[in-house]
Amino acid sequence: MILTGGETMPTGRATGGTGPARSRERFLQGEPVEAGVRTSILSSWQRSRSLGLSPDQADLPFREDFDRDARIVRAAVPVLDRLQAMFGGSKMNISVADASGTVLLRRFGEASLARSLPAFQRVPGFVFAERVAGTNGIGLALAERQLIRVHGAEHFAERSQRSACRALPVRDPLSGRIEGVLCFGYPSSTEDAALATTIRKAAQAIERRLLGQSSARERALLRAYMDTGAIASVDLHHTIGVDELALELHPRDRAVLTEKAAELISRGQRAAVVVSLLGGRRVTLVSRPMRSGSGVEGVAIEAVLPGPSPREPLAVPTRVDVPPGFSSRLAVTTAVRPPRFVPATAAPGRLSVAALSGHLPDTAYGPFGAVGGGGAADDHPGAPPQTRGLVMVGEPRVGTYALAARRRLELLSEASARIGTTLDVRRTAQELAETAVPRLADFVTIDLPEAVLRGEESADPRTDLHRTVVHGIRDDLPFSPVGKRVDLGPTTPQMRCLANGQAVLEPDLKAAAGWLAQDPEHTERLLTQVHSLIAVPLVARGVILGIASFYRAQDPAPFGDDDRSLGLELANRAALSIDNARRYTRERTMVLTLQRSLLPHDLPDQDAVEIAHRYLPAESDVGGDWYDVIPLSGTRIGLFVGDVVGHGMLSAATMGQLRTAARSFAELDFPPDEVLTHLDNLVGRLDREEPAAAGVGVIGATCLYAIYDPTSQQCTVARAGHPPPALVLPDGTVSFPDLPAGPPLGLGGLPFEAAEIHLPEGSRLLLYTDGLIEDRLRDVDVVLNQLRGALAHPEHTPEQTCQTVLETVAPAHPCDDIALLVARTHAVDPGRIAAWDLPADPARVSEVRAAALRQLADWGLDEAAFAAELMLSELVTNAIRHGAGPIRVRLLHGRTLICEVSDASNTAPHLRRAASTDEGGRGLFLVAQLAQSWGTRYLPEGKVIWAECGLDGA
């Protein structure tokens, strides 16, 4: 798309020779992006990430209550109509948004384009602010307050990767306030450098129409300035582009120039001030008092810069719109050789005249504009050519109030962005202090009750205050240190503000008796540094949260009523953020308490594995991660780790149900795949019973279950959508076994598979949840390599392994819970295992009893021989009578004596109370009385009946 000629801009590459798509990919993976992306784009990406935005977010907020008859709408409609005609037949879409990023107007070069775009790009009302849409033209123009270009992969959202756009803030020429944004959107393949000129001209046309809505008084001052002949006396041959200098100005320089111009207007006197800019440059601001024909008195501020060399004259537009009421001479002058003006970011009550020029200014940059050199009061023979331009005009009286109001509004605007960026009570209080210093106060102290810091409501904040923040221009003032309890007397300003709920102003602390009486020695030292105080209660939703105290030291002027109102407004805004943080802290504490209460407190004593474990909650919220260790029959051990989808109270409660059920299924001696099948059915049932589900699944979970048998050193593992375990062999070799993945719990209808792994004695098995390795800012393969390195230390104990993994692999700011379980395997000494195989012949029972008694004697377990003999006799007899051969008997000597009898039948015995007339049925009852515990576990073919006998008396 070639619009008005010019050199086509390169597309698809960012500065530094690195494609923006690759840079964006690296950024999203958490890798450093030093080059290959422009600073403004990288800053916007970082802000988008800090806001928690997702690149694949599809929906945007939509407002139906936007003002369809706003000033900028009335000013922009004719301009957009002309642009639509200019781009007719092209893929261009043109939009105007207000200062909050809400799209107010939409035009398309090709009518069919509207039907091909997503819904949020067709009609007005959608919000494209950076905080909700990520890096985009409208949002970045508002954030950077200048002309911007976003191309292809520089967009944060996936939906905009094939588009490019240019966007430019549109300012009110009188106040300098941004009224909205003009944005051109087009396919990435149709980039053209001439679009920058076109959008500047269009924005100026809108600003001229905004100026036409200005008041007669403001326009009278501008007319008086124009009628002085300042423009007519300009030597146009020495005109240089001051806006070209402004393009290079740092935002701080632009703010300093605008602020100084506003101060000169408020003084109402003829003066000249040299303003130093970054890089050693200087600009002279000259104030010129004047009076309009109607008696309006005001001041014009001009900027004078030394010109390094003459430049070519500027291009002359063919038509100039002159606001009604201005002299025809202005139209003639600007039509012959228009000065180049750049609108100032002026304060309310002052007027910037940039939009009067027919030449389109660089509205996004620079606080002043230029007319030709010459005519300056300080010109002298031999001096270098100068450039002079009008910055703003205004009335001194109005300017004084406007300057103060502007500073207050800027501070409040800054406070909205700086306070409440986190949900941490202490950090939010610190942000309030950092915002107020030095713009409002030189020192700030904030005192909060200990209960508020814990997330609770304080029963009596007047008796429970603790110093939470001390911040100021220096660190050597004798304020009470952070953490110290603060005791306030009833007459102190702080206590008075708590009593009446209003800000208390003490303009002269030397006369504040209540403040002086609190601590005479301490206050006397403070009075050598501070002289004025505002004490403001932090109140939100009717709850008193604490006190903010603002002190003034350097500024000789005491605090006034306006300062008190400003301090109260700042405190009110901060109090809401502190209360949000407090409520979040309380809820998070409750959920974390519930979560920890549902996790194992003490792991069982057993000899199969050596265990270490960790649970690390997410930084922002608490999820449903869990782990468990369950002793099983035959000296085996069951290891669980799982993760319930979501965060908050529901996830923690669901986790508790799931862990209880998992333990119950495991203690029934089901194999891992069957345990997961039962859990899958349970999660599906919980999902259906959840009222919020409404037919859509809201509960899900992943799980991994492993059973390790130290007698065979075999581990049977099954997983349901969970990351595979990490296996560390005794020689330090690290691997991630390729196990059947299985579906997550809750889907239903899909089978689970188990796999067996041989674990030599001394192997370490690491079970973990996805919070350890999955992070949208990190590449999973990179994290797994880090995990390999952390585990490749065979000499580490499980405790050392846990600590190393968390220190080197876990993210610094985890966004999901992390559960970690490390098990180092042991093996049962073959000398402590005795086994016999026998046919289904009752005559062989006595032989087995005799062999078992000899083995017990060899083990030194004569005290347990009587009970073991009876239990074996009953179990073997039952297997012969009711089971099927072959029959196997096994004795295990560990912490207890375990007797096992297996056969090929799946029929399980049941304990019952025999009637007095029954001849049999008392064998299992006898076993149950003699054993600590007994039970049945099923094998792929057959079953095992086991009984466990204590050795305390042996």
Side-chain angles (χ1 to χ4, degrees):
M1 176 177 63
I2 303 299
L3 301 175
T4 56
E7 189 175 296
T8 303
M9 297 186 69
T11 61
R13 307 293 292 178
T15 57
T18 302
R22 175 57 184 154
S23 297
R24 177 177 176 274
E25 178 183 354
R26 291 174 56 207
F27 174 82
L28 294 177
Q29 292 174 353
E31 298 180 20
V33 184
E34 292 85 7
V37 59
R38 291 180 284 146
T39 302
S40 59
I41 298 296
L42 179 58
S43 298
S44 180
W45 287 353
Q46 292 169 342
R47 291 192 297 267
S48 300
R49 181 170 62 184
S50 67
L51 291 168
L53 300 180
S54 173
D56 55 1
Q57 178 182 352
D59 296 327
L60 290 176
F62 181 82
R63 291 181 52 196
E64 295 182 347
D65 59 342
F66 66 92
D67 187 359
R68 302 176 188 274
D69 193 36
R71 291 180 64 230
I72 193 168
V73 171
R74 297 196 303 271
V77 165
V79 179
L80 262 62
D81 290 340
R82 292 198 294 269
L83 289 172
Q84 185 176 22
M86 176 189 301
F87 294 109
S90 71
K91 296 294 185 180
M92 176 70 70
N93 67 84
I94 310 150
S95 58
V96 170
D98 64 14
S100 67
T102 303
V103 175
L104 306 178
L105 294 171
R106 204 74 154 143
R107 296 287 190 275
F108 300 92
E110 189 175 290
S112 61
L113 182 61
R115 296 189 295 273
S116 65
L117 292 176
F120 65 84
Q121 292 185 347
R122 300 177 193 167
V123 296
F126 282 95
V127 180
F128 279 86
E130 189 183 69
R131 67 180 183 277
V132 295
T135 306
N136 70 91
I138 292 175
L140 189 53
L142 288 172
E144 296 288 334
R145 305 174 70 85
Q146 61 182 349
L147 176 65
I148 61 94
R149 168 182 171 268
V150 183
H151 185 279
E154 291 179 335
H155 290 89
F156 189 80
E158 297 285 352
R159 59 174 176 267
S160 302
Q161 297 297 293
R162 297 182 179 179
S163 302
C165 65
R166 291 181 185 265
L168 179 65
V170 177
R171 301 176 183 271
D172 183 345
L174 299 181
S175 66
R177 183 180 62 249
I178 293 177
E179 290 289 329
V181 176
L182 174 63
C183 182
F184 290 173
Y186 44 91
S188 297
S189 59
T190 56
E191 179 64 72
D192 189 86
L195 284 175
T197 302
T198 305
I199 196 171
R200 292 179 193 278
K201 290 182 178 180
Q204 185 202 29
I206 297 174
E207 290 175 340
R208 286 201 304 270
R209 295 184 59 82
L210 286 172
L211 183 63
Q213 303 174 26
S214 61
S215 68
R217 189 178 183 91
E218 292 164 336
R219 291 165 63 187
L221 285 175
L222 182 57
R223 187 187 307 113
Y225 175 79
M226 297 301 182
D227 289 341
T228 61
I231 292 180
S233 64
V234 167
D235 179 2
L236 297 177
H237 293 287
H238 291 102
T239 297
I240 68 170
V242 178
D243 53 346
E244 294 178 5
L245 170 63
L247 284 169
E248 303 172 1
L249 287 183
H250 189 276
R252 171 189 170 277
D253 288 345
R254 298 198 294 271
V256 167
L257 286 172
T258 304
E259 186 83 4
K260 186 59 66 175
E263 290 180 5
L264 289 174
I265 288 180
S266 66
R267 295 176 186 174
Q269 300 174 350
R270 183 180 297 275
V273 176
V274 177
V275 181
S276 298
L277 306 179
L278 295 177
R281 290 175 294 182
R282 291 187 173 189
V283 175
T284 301
L285 295 182
V286 179
S287 62
R288 177 190 296 179
M290 59 185 180
R291 182 185 183 92
S292 72
S294 59
V296 179
E297 295 184 353
V299 177
I301 306 298
E302 296 173 326
V304 181
L305 292 88
S309 63
R311 301 287 183 89
E312 292 295 324
L314 301 175
V316 181
T318 57
R319 181 177 181 274
V320 179
D321 294 332
V322 180
F326 285 88
S327 65
S328 60
R329 183 180 63 77
L330 174 62
V332 173
T333 302
T334 55
V336 173
R337 182 71 64 177
R340 300 176 68 179
F341 288 112
V342 179
T345 308
R350 283 173 296 284
L351 175 64
S352 166
V353 298
L356 292 178
S357 169
H359 175 75
L360 185 68
D362 181 1
T363 55
Y365 306 95
F368 58 86
V371 298
D378 54 354
D379 283 351
H380 55 81
Q386 289 184 330
T387 300
R388 178 185 292 268
L390 178 64
V391 178
M392 64 176 68
V393 296
E395 298 179 67
R397 182 177 60 84
V398 176
T400 300
Y401 293 112
L403 181 62
R406 176 189 170 193
R407 289 175 175 171
R408 289 183 172 87
L409 288 174
E410 288 176 347
L411 181 56
L412 291 176
S413 177
E414 181 180 337
S416 299
R418 293 186 60 180
I419 300 176
T421 59
T422 68
L423 287 171
D424 180 83
V425 174
R426 288 183 173 86
R427 179 57 197 158
T428 304
Q430 182 70 30
E431 289 169 346
L432 167 59
E434 291 173 354
T435 302
V437 175
R439 306 275 288 279
L440 172 63
D442 296 317
F443 299 93
V444 175
T445 63
I446 298 178
D447 306 320
L448 300 176
E450 187 67 27
V452 172
L453 297 174
R454 295 194 305 267
E456 305 167 3
E457 291 186 11
S458 177
D460 187 1
R462 293 173 295 183
T463 61
D464 188 31
L465 288 173
H466 288 74
R467 182 59 45 86
T468 306
V469 173
V470 177
H471 183 70
I473 57 177
R474 299 196 312 275
D475 298 329
D476 57 350
L477 263 66
F479 289 106
S480 298
V482 172
K484 183 178 180 180
R485 183 184 179 91
V486 179
D487 296 318
L488 299 172
T491 60
T492 59
Q494 288 86 350
M495 190 60 70
R496 282 159 36 213
C497 81
L498 285 180
N500 58 28
Q502 299 294 325
V504 174
L505 169 64
E506 291 288 357
D508 185 4
L509 284 176
K510 293 181 179 180
W515 188 76
L516 293 171
Q518 171 69 13
D519 185 350
E521 181 180 354
H522 179 68
T523 54
E524 184 177 354
R525 284 184 293 161
L526 273 179
L527 281 177
T528 63
Q529 304 290 337
V530 300
H531 60 80
S532 191
L533 165 68
I534 300 174
V536 185
L538 297 170
V539 182
R541 303 179 179 97
V543 177
I544 297 177
L545 302 175
I547 305 170
S549 300
F550 303 93
Y551 294 89
R552 181 164 285 178
Q554 287 189 335
D555 190 343
F559 283 125
D561 289 334
D562 290 340
D563 298 312
R564 176 174 55 184
S565 300
L566 178 59
L568 182 60
E569 181 65 23
L570 281 176
N572 287 341
R573 296 190 182 198
L576 284 174
S577 297
I578 292 175
D579 192 48
N580 290 338
R582 178 190 66 82
R583 290 167 178 260
Y584 168 78
T585 301
R586 179 184 60 185
E587 181 176 345
R588 186 177 188 276
T589 301
M590 292 172 57
V591 175
L592 187 57
T593 301
L594 174 62
Q595 173 88 351
R596 292 192 183 280
S597 69
L598 295 174
L599 291 173
H601 296 287
D602 297 310
L603 296 182
D605 293 330
Q606 43 78 39
D607 297 323
V609 292
E610 181 183 350
I611 292 290
H613 56 89
R614 294 289 190 278
Y615 170 73
L616 184 65
E619 188 174 78
S620 59
D621 210 342
V622 179
D625 291 17
W626 58 283
Y627 60 88
D628 208 347
V629 178
I630 304 170
L632 302 175
S633 63
T635 69
R636 299 171 306 141
I637 195 75
L639 305 174
F640 269 111
V641 67
D643 182 5
V644 176
V645 174
H647 297 85
M649 192 71 72
L650 177 61
S651 294
T654 303
M655 179 275 289
Q657 293 177 288
L658 199 59
R659 177 181 169 247
T660 301
R663 173 174 281 271
S664 299
F665 295 142
E667 289 179 345
L668 290 174
D669 262 328
F670 291 141
D673 52 339
E674 288 191 28
V675 170
L676 295 184
T677 299
H678 288 296
L679 291 177
D680 182 52
N681 295 332
L682 173 65
V683 172
R685 185 163 60 253
L686 292 175
D687 206 3
R688 291 189 297 271
E689 294 173 355
E690 173 59 38
V696 180
V698 297
I699 297 175
T702 65
C703 182
L704 186 146
Y705 180 37
I707 297 178
Y708 172 67
D709 187 345
T711 63
S712 63
Q713 301 177 40
Q714 291 294 112
C715 184
T716 306
V717 186
R719 62 190 181 113
H722 202 83
L727 173 61
V728 187
L729 296 179
D731 62 0
T733 303
V734 181
S735 63
F736 298 91
D738 185 14
L739 306 175
L745 300 178
L747 295 183
L750 298 174
F752 299 94
E753 297 181 59
E756 286 197 352
I757 308 172
H758 180 68
L759 301 183
E761 184 174 11
S763 300
R764 283 174 294 161
L765 193 65
L766 177 76
L767 310 183
Y768 54 89
T769 55
D770 58 4
L772 178 68
I773 62 172
E774 293 184 6
D775 186 343
R776 64 185 182 88
L777 303 179
R778 303 189 299 170
D779 184 88
V780 173
D781 292 334
V782 174
V783 177
L784 290 178
N785 286 333
Q786 293 175 345
L787 183 58
R788 287 178 186 272
L791 295 176
H793 297 280
E795 74 282 2
H796 280 185
T797 65
E799 281 291 337
Q800 292 172 327
T801 300
C802 278
Q803 192 63 31
T804 301
V805 168
L806 289 182
E807 290 176 353
T808 61
V809 182
H813 304 283
C815 57
D816 195 7
D817 289 18
I818 297 174
L820 192 62
L821 192 66
V822 179
R824 182 161 63 184
T825 62
H826 299 299
V828 176
D829 184 354
R832 288 176 170 258
I833 304 174
W836 301 273
D837 294 315
L838 65 155
D841 182 359
R844 303 294 297 271
V845 175
S846 59
E847 297 178 12
V848 172
R849 287 201 306 263
L853 289 175
R854 288 193 298 271
Q855 183 63 62
L856 292 177
D858 292 342
W859 286 341
L861 301 180
D862 296 326
E863 294 292 335
F866 176 73
E869 181 183 10
L870 287 178
M871 288 189 295
L872 276 178
S873 179
E874 291 296 333
L875 294 178
V876 173
T877 302
N878 280 342
I880 293 174
R881 294 181 58 185
H882 304 291
I887 297 172
R888 182 178 179 83
V889 177
R890 187 171 73 161
L891 294 180
L892 299 176
H893 178 202
R895 291 173 179 265
T896 60
L897 177 64
I898 301 173
C899 304
E900 295 181 345
V901 177
S902 62
D903 65 81
S905 171
N906 288 324
T907 302
H910 297 282
L911 179 66
R912 67 182 181 87
R913 182 177 293 277
S916 58
T917 57
D918 290 342
E919 294 184 1
R922 296 175 178 83
L924 281 182
F925 181 79
L926 179 63
V927 170
Q929 297 301 310
L930 293 174
Q932 286 184 347
S933 59
W934 72 280
T936 304
R937 72 172 180 271
Y938 292 91
L939 304 175
E941 295 181 359
K943 66 180 181 296
V944 175
I945 310 297
W946 58 270
E948 190 171 324
C949 180
L951 300 179
D952 293 340

